[in-house]
Amino acid sequence: MPPSLDQQHYEVVIIGAGMAGMAAGIRLALAGKNVIILERHNASGGLNSFYSQGGRKFDVGLHAMTNYVPKGTKGTPLTKLLRQLRIPYDALDLCPQNGSKVAFPGCELGFNNDFAFFESEVARAFPQQIDGFRALAEEVRTLDAFNLGSMPSSARAAVQRHISDPLLEDMLFCPVMYYGSAQEHDMDYGQFAIMFRSLFFEGFARPLDGVRVIIKLLQDKYRSLGGVRKMKCGIQKIHTSGNNASSIELDSGAVLTADKIISTAGAVETARLCEDQPADAASDNIGQLSFTETITVLDQQPTDFGWDDTIIFFNTAERFRYARVEHELVDPTSGVICFPNNYQYGEGRQLDEGYLRVTAMANHDKWCALSEDDYLAQKTYWYEELQKVTLGLLPASKLDLNANRIASDMFTPRTVRKYTGHLNGAIYGAPNKIKDGRTHLNNLYLAGTDQGFLGIVGAMLSGISMANLHVLQGA
């Protein structure tokens, strides 16, 4: 049956109930706009959601909420976000990280939520590069990275103006790319600056109950303002008339009209929904980078095995390669190890079980081409391979993975494609971002991944910024 729709016309229709879509909805509802959010799936959160298995809640996407600053800090993205959405700081239950590191062969750099510590680590490991690193940090600190009109430029070229050691260059790019780059080998300097600041100048935090705390907070706020949200409500087609979107046809066959549409589905994916665009619209801007992640539940805390880090960005190859996986299903030579237990949750607060999450780059086409039996067999194989790599990087311990493991799961690019709709299972969307959110239609705008603000805070700020710019400005 078609979803129940109270009306057929809205001032604003938002496509997607991810972080950007929900934040845009709240911002518009606060301004009194008549708004509806349409979501194809049965859970909000988009790239940062959760699922239940065996009575447990598993986060997907959220390793850490970047852009963390202590309560009362002024002039930061997190502060702006909370002010724009009128959400109190404490509602996020943000607990800072213990400490993380970048681990390459023969070299490690530790970092936490105090940039001075990271700077001292660079000085220790790369004494000849520290002056250049400080100059780079100052340039990144003052760059107008959120300028919607700025032209893309090479982050590699910008970093190389200050850093001459390729190892340090790779070690700086590894965490920044893994947490936000849709571009192979390089990234836009503005995006590099946004990520560098959010990881190193600000930092990592996490609610005790993970991403569902943030999702519930946004859902409850939006609902309290009278906003409408329809789940299992996919878009079949955006009909056009001249240079405008004229109506939205749902998968159910129902038709809605709207003065303006904000889509968080992705630039290419949105273009292909429009009836005036060919099926291969914007094919030169399709993201190529997808990932797989294993989740292991342990019967003890990670610290019981000597694992104290919150997140480890690792590379085992001679040079760090951030590019589409060509020949295998997974590239195990680099990735991210995350211990959700290792945050400062406070006295008497801790996750009941231990968690180990391992992320690596993967080949979307190869995963999607597998038969069901082969798919399950390859998941088992690559789960074991990634655990071997991980245990080889962690301090020697008494862990017996088979004996200490309570449960495990793994998602692949096939999973990402199914639940996000992103072509190629591209986690970070298209390589070329549309910073002003404009499309070929006058009343259709982009927010989220392909607008270009990065991370969970960035995604929400993207929704807010596009709502402010294209709906509320001058209204």
Side-chain angles (χ1 to χ4, degrees):
M1 290 183 60
S4 174
L5 294 168
D6 299 326
Q7 60 188 74
Q8 299 300 315
H9 180 80
Y10 292 84
E11 289 180 88
V12 185
V13 167
I14 297 170
I15 301 173
M19 299 293 176
M22 288 194 290
I26 292 169
R27 185 65 187 153
L28 294 171
L30 281 167
K33 296 296 180 182
N34 180 228
V35 58
I36 186 172
I37 298 175
L38 305 176
E39 170 58 50
R40 182 180 298 276
H41 297 287
N42 62 358
S44 299
L47 292 170
N48 293 283
S49 191
F50 65 93
Y51 63 97
S52 298
Q53 186 179 90
R56 293 180 180 86
K57 298 287 196 298
F58 290 111
D59 280 1
V60 291
L62 177 74
H63 285 168
M65 186 161 162
T66 58
N67 297 98
Y68 169 78
V69 292
K71 185 177 181 178
T73 308
K74 299 187 183 302
T76 67
L78 180 59
T79 306
K80 177 182 178 182
L81 165 72
L82 296 173
R83 185 178 67 249
Q84 291 275 312
L85 298 184
R86 299 181 196 169
I87 289 174
Y89 180 96
D90 291 339
L92 290 173
D93 186 32
L94 293 180
C95 307
Q97 65 168 323
N98 288 349
S100 299
K101 67 183 177 185
V102 185
F104 276 46
C107 187
E108 291 187 355
L109 293 175
F111 66 96
N112 53 27
N113 293 351
D114 177 5
F115 181 71
F117 173 66
F118 184 47
E119 186 178 13
S120 72
E121 283 285 276
V122 174
R124 172 191 57 77
F126 298 94
Q128 302 302 315
Q129 299 289 308
I130 188 58
D131 289 344
F133 175 78
R134 287 173 177 148
L136 172 65
E138 184 57 29
E139 185 174 287
V140 165
R141 190 185 299 276
T142 57
L143 186 73
D144 184 10
F146 290 99
N147 182 352
L148 299 181
S150 64
M151 297 298 294
S153 62
S154 166
R156 288 279 185 182
V159 170
Q160 288 166 3
R161 289 198 298 268
H162 303 286
I163 303 296
S164 60
D165 189 320
L167 176 58
L168 177 57
E169 178 187 333
D170 281 354
M171 293 183 81
L172 295 178
F173 271 96
C174 179
V176 170
M177 286 180 146
Y178 260 105
Y179 271 11
S181 179
Q183 191 175 337
E184 296 181 288
H185 307 299
D186 199 353
M187 61 193 299
D188 172 54
Y189 187 35
Q191 292 210 310
F192 174 88
I194 290 172
M195 288 308 299
F196 189 98
R197 295 196 303 227
S198 68
L199 271 65
F200 300 126
F201 288 162
E202 293 163 356
F204 295 165
R206 182 186 187 273
L208 175 64
D209 289 328
V211 73
R212 58 190 182 276
V213 171
I214 302 167
I215 293 172
K216 185 176 187 304
L217 184 65
L218 296 177
Q219 288 179 166
D220 289 351
K221 182 73 175 183
Y222 180 64
R223 188 181 301 115
S224 74
L225 296 166
V228 180
R229 179 175 58 105
K230 294 297 181 184
M231 310 303 289
K232 296 185 178 180
C233 192
I235 309 298
Q236 179 66 33
K237 186 72 66 179
I238 298 174
H239 295 285
T240 59
S241 176
N243 294 324
N244 287 283
S246 57
S247 64
I248 299 169
E249 182 181 345
L250 307 182
D251 287 343
S252 66
V255 176
L256 297 179
T257 58
D259 298 331
K260 296 186 177 183
I261 303 167
I262 296 176
S263 173
T264 66
V268 177
E269 293 83 354
T270 299
R272 294 186 180 186
L273 285 174
C274 298
E275 68 174 351
D276 65 341
Q277 296 289 292
D280 62 350
S283 57
D284 59 345
N285 197 27
I286 298 175
Q288 302 296 322
L289 302 176
S290 196
F291 301 84
T292 188
E293 181 169 288
T294 66
I295 306 171
T296 304
V297 185
L298 301 167
D299 61 3
Q300 298 179 50
Q301 297 289 313
T303 52
D304 295 334
F305 303 113
W307 305 336
D308 299 321
D309 294 298
T310 304
I311 295 172
I312 302 170
F313 299 90
F314 72 87
N315 172 62
T316 61
E318 185 175 344
R319 287 299 303 265
F320 170 57
R321 181 183 183 274
Y322 187 81
R324 184 181 182 185
V325 179
E326 294 292 345
H327 304 298
E328 296 280 0
L329 287 162
V330 177
D331 178 2
T333 64
S334 70
V336 187
I337 301 166
C338 173
F339 296 107
N341 301 73
N342 292 347
Y343 287 84
Q344 298 168 28
Y345 294 123
E347 192 68 32
R349 302 178 79 220
Q350 182 55 277
L351 298 173
D352 294 334
E353 299 170 322
Y355 287 85
L356 165 63
R357 296 173 61 184
V358 185
T359 306
M361 304 191 82
N363 183 303
H364 166 269
D365 294 349
K366 289 183 179 296
W367 278 107
C368 290
L370 295 172
S371 68
E372 191 61 29
D373 287 346
D374 286 344
Y375 179 70
L376 295 174
Q378 289 297 328
K379 280 181 68 173
T380 300
Y381 173 79
W382 282 108
Y383 171 86
E384 296 293 343
E385 287 300 299
L386 288 173
Q387 305 323 297
K388 289 177 189 175
V389 171
T390 300
L391 294 176
L393 292 166
L394 295 172
S397 76
K398 59 185 178 183
L399 173 74
D400 178 342
L401 192 59
N402 290 324
N404 292 112
R405 179 175 54 214
I406 302 172
S408 63
D409 198 25
M410 179 177 182
F411 67 78
T412 71
R414 183 161 143 177
T415 323
V416 176
R417 173 73 177 265
K418 178 179 179 179
Y419 288 103
T420 69
H422 280 203
L423 299 172
N424 290 339
I427 290 282
Y428 299 126
N432 301 312
K433 305 304 183 185
I434 296 88
K435 294 181 180 179
D436 65 3
R438 296 186 184 278
T439 70
H440 70 290
L441 297 175
N442 293 331
N443 61 338
L444 173 63
Y445 311 100
L446 300 175
T449 304
D450 284 352
Q451 182 273 323
F453 294 169
L454 304 172
I456 288 179
V457 170
M460 289 189 275
L461 282 175
S462 171
I464 292 167
S465 298
M466 295 302 99
N468 287 343
L469 178 63
H470 298 302
V471 182
L472 301 182
Q473 196 172 87

